Amino acid sequence: MITFGNFFLFSLSTFFMEKMYMNGAELMVKCLENEGVEYIFGIPGEENLAFLEALRSSSIKLILTRHEQAAGFMAATYGRITGKPGVCIATLGPGATNFVTSVSYAFLGGMPCLFITGQKPIKSSKQGRFQIINVVSMMAPITKMTRQIVGADSIATLVRESFRVAVQEKSGPVHLELPEDIAAEQTTVLPFPLTPIRKKLASNESFEEVAEIIKKAKNPLLLIAAASNRRSAGTALEHFIEQTGIHFFSTQMGKGAADEFHPRCLGTAALSDHDYLHCAIGKADVIINVGHDVVEKPPFFMRRNGLVVIHINYFHAVFDEVYFPQHEVIGDIADSMQRLAALIAPNSLGGDGYFQLLKEEIDKNVYKRALPATFPYTPQQLTRVLRELMDKDSILSLDNGMYKIWFARNYRSTNSHSVLLDNALATMGAGLPVAIAAKMIFPEKKVVAVCGDGGFMMNSQEMETAIRLKLDLVILLIRDDGFGMIKWKQGGMGFPDFGLDFGNPDFVKYAESYGAHGYRGVDQEQLAEVLEHCLNTPGVHLIELPIDYAENESVLIEELKRKTCLLG
């Protein structure tokens, strides 16, 4: 006979038995589901098999990549675009070491993500030191937090803390190592409920001080940098621009936080000095620098007893020889810009008229100059064709190479994350994986990866990943059969051409071998037609284009040296 008491004891014991049978890997997957994780990118290994089995029946989709570095780029891009940590996985040893470049990419770029690596059993192991290195120590200098999980009961705590740390400013990567025996260890722990993180707001005193400085400025400028592209700060920035009438420019990683087609936009600081917009910097007496981080290549050089710089960011400035702001407003950027706008009289920051004259000069020399129909293409021709054909809400993913300077300078971005480039670690090999992640997040948008032949071949195998995922993607492959930017620097230093040329495969056949579509020899008249076809035809398309970098010298050096800022 079953009494109420017996039934209660039976139910209670069954409840705890069911909990007890959850192993560490299963708990970790449940914690990730609890955090809202959609994808895990990576390559599991032997030490991840319990985790892989737990993942098989979860709501999370595994995105198997062809290299761990690419998986890390994809996870970092997910974090960069969504503001929620992207997640990726690798095994111990070589799998973990392959993460180092993409961890560093996320660390310098402020991209929230969680890197999970496996490890041999830590309580007893019969394999000696096979494949074992100290991954936690390796990750310590390039992550915000790194831990080895030493007991299954601690998994829920560490996952929750990892996600909290990853998104707190400055956001970035975190790392957890899950040893094989801990993944198999049983636990009764459950995931922690999610808790909100309150925004840190700047003090009223800091606004009053800088508002008075800005009001007295004769020619103030607004600089929009990398952190402005996080947490939807763009709306507040555009409100500040419209409210005050101020002119603005951006760093490379700040592109798009405000529309670069705006009549008061002076462009992007693709160079650190001597470009047309640096004439405006030379004329400015106050620069409101929003979201800048010294990990990004300097958009201008500060000098002692020079202009006044106001640093507005989520975190304090890090002083160095060329960046030492005199005033700081530390707190949520969107809130800071809204509150500062309320203290400034409408249309009062337009300056003495110089910036508007310079704007016309920039439009003429950077965006609208007449270009001959040459082949191979110049970088300016490529940027113009792409900008004319791509929708305003499309996405351009740039790898790193000489062309990146031209695209940063000449290709106008229309919204946050419409141009994805890296000006912090500035690693080659990221362009294609970043484009894949962007297309997964925004399947309805047109996505183009612009890669040099050097950077493309570092992760070209991810074409197979894109095809397996049935993504629609265009790769614009710029071919110069060498490491073009370094060759340009080599020549600029007066050194002979040496050690930087290489051979290439037949890129059309290479693309076709993966199941992609390949195109070559597209001249000036054909490119727009071919590109439009690729953008509107399902599948992965690769367009190989030779490039003429002769204007590196004639424009970026000779023309800008002759430029004398006569308008001043």
Side-chain angles (χ1 to χ4, degrees), residues 237-462:
L237 283 163
E238 290 183 345
H239 170 74
F240 184 85
I241 293 164
E242 294 300 328
Q243 168 72 11
T244 65
I246 197 167
H247 288 78
F248 67 96
F249 66 105
S250 72
T251 66
Q252 293 186 38
M253 292 181 73
K255 284 180 72 71
D259 188 347
E260 292 187 299
F261 282 93
H262 194 285
R264 285 191 291 277
C265 179
L266 301 179
T268 301
L271 306 173
S272 293
D273 206 355
H274 302 307
D275 206 346
Y276 288 97
L277 69 81
H278 291 101
C279 297
I281 294 168
K283 190 76 169 179
D285 49 354
V286 172
I287 290 184
I288 307 167
N289 197 347
V290 183
H292 184 58
D293 187 335
V294 294
V295 300
E296 188 169 9
K297 189 176 180 181
F300 65 92
F301 300 125
M302 286 188 68
R303 294 173 176 82
R304 300 288 181 94
N305 303 315
L307 57 78
V308 173
V309 174
I310 298 168
H311 175 91
I312 299 179
N313 211 332
Y314 301 106
F315 47 87
H316 286 281
V318 177
F319 275 43
D320 67 10
E321 293 181 358
V322 298
Y323 188 65
F324 40 89
Q326 298 93 332
H327 304 274
E328 296 184 273
V329 177
I330 307 304
D332 181 77
I333 287 177
D335 175 79
S336 294
M337 297 311 294
Q338 291 280 7
R339 291 162 67 187
L340 188 58
L343 299 175
I344 307 293
N347 298 311
S348 61
L349 302 184
D352 63 6
Y354 175 79
F355 294 154
Q356 195 54 44
L357 290 173
L358 183 62
K359 164 68 176 169
E360 295 170 8
E361 196 76 6
I362 290 170
D363 284 349
K364 181 176 69 176
N365 287 283
V366 177
Y367 300 124
K368 297 180 180 178
R369 75 189 319 169
L371 299 175
T374 60
F375 187 83
Y377 276 83
T378 65
Q380 299 98 306
Q381 291 167 332
L382 288 180
T383 57
R384 179 171 295 181
V385 171
L386 275 168
R387 184 63 280 174
E388 289 174 352
L389 281 179
M390 292 182 70
D391 301 332
K392 285 196 171 184
D393 67 345
S394 59
I395 297 174
L396 193 68
S397 171
L398 293 175
D399 209 299
N400 275 278
M402 188 67 232
Y403 53 88
K404 189 186 78 170
I405 292 178
W406 287 104
F407 272 88
R409 185 174 183 264
N410 290 61
Y411 185 94
R412 285 187 274 193
S413 180
T414 56
N415 55 76
S416 185
H417 307 310
S418 61
V419 174
L420 298 173
L421 60 78
D422 169 30
N423 193 37
L425 185 66
T427 178
M428 297 170 68
L432 177 56
V434 167
I436 290 172
K439 186 64 179 181
M440 291 176 63
I441 297 165
F442 297 114
E444 75 286 357
K445 294 188 177 185
K446 310 293 186 185
V447 177
V448 174
V450 180
C451 306
D453 46 3
F456 175 71
M457 289 304 291
M458 292 183 179
N459 274 309
S460 62
Q461 71 281 350
E462 300 306 330

Side-chain angles (χ1 to χ4, degrees), residues 406-554:
W406 287 104
F407 272 88
R409 185 174 183 264
N410 290 61
Y411 185 94
R412 285 187 274 193
S413 180
T414 56
N415 55 76
S416 185
H417 307 310
S418 61
V419 174
L420 298 173
L421 60 78
D422 169 30
N423 193 37
L425 185 66
T427 178
M428 297 170 68
L432 177 56
V434 167
I436 290 172
K439 186 64 179 181
M440 291 176 63
I441 297 165
F442 297 114
E444 75 286 357
K445 294 188 177 185
K446 310 293 186 185
V447 177
V448 174
V450 180
C451 306
D453 46 3
F456 175 71
M457 289 304 291
M458 292 183 179
N459 274 309
S460 62
Q461 71 281 350
E462 300 306 330
M463 277 198 297
E464 189 279 326
T465 305
I467 290 166
R468 179 168 19 97
L469 295 174
K470 296 181 172 58
L471 300 181
D472 301 329
L473 194 67
V474 178
I475 303 163
L476 187 62
L477 179 62
I478 296 175
R479 178 173 180 169
D480 64 348
D481 298 312
F483 293 111
M485 177 173 280
I486 310 306
K487 291 181 71 172
W488 179 53
K489 296 285 187 180
Q490 187 179 54
M493 295 175 69
F495 297 136
D497 188 347
F498 173 75
L500 296 170
D501 294 312
F502 49 71
N504 273 311
D506 184 320
F507 283 115
V508 171
K509 291 181 179 179
Y510 185 63
E512 291 173 347
S513 72
Y514 283 109
H517 307 278
Y519 310 81
R520 179 191 295 115
V522 181
D523 63 24
Q524 181 85 357
E525 295 179 354
Q526 294 174 311
L527 179 59
E529 180 181 343
V530 171
L531 185 58
E532 188 169 17
H533 165 77
C534 294
L535 287 169
N536 293 289
T537 303
V540 176
H541 303 264
L542 182 146
I543 306 172
E544 176 197 311
L545 287 175
I547 192 76
D548 180 3
Y549 280 134
E551 292 198 352
N552 290 353
E553 183 75 20
S554 63

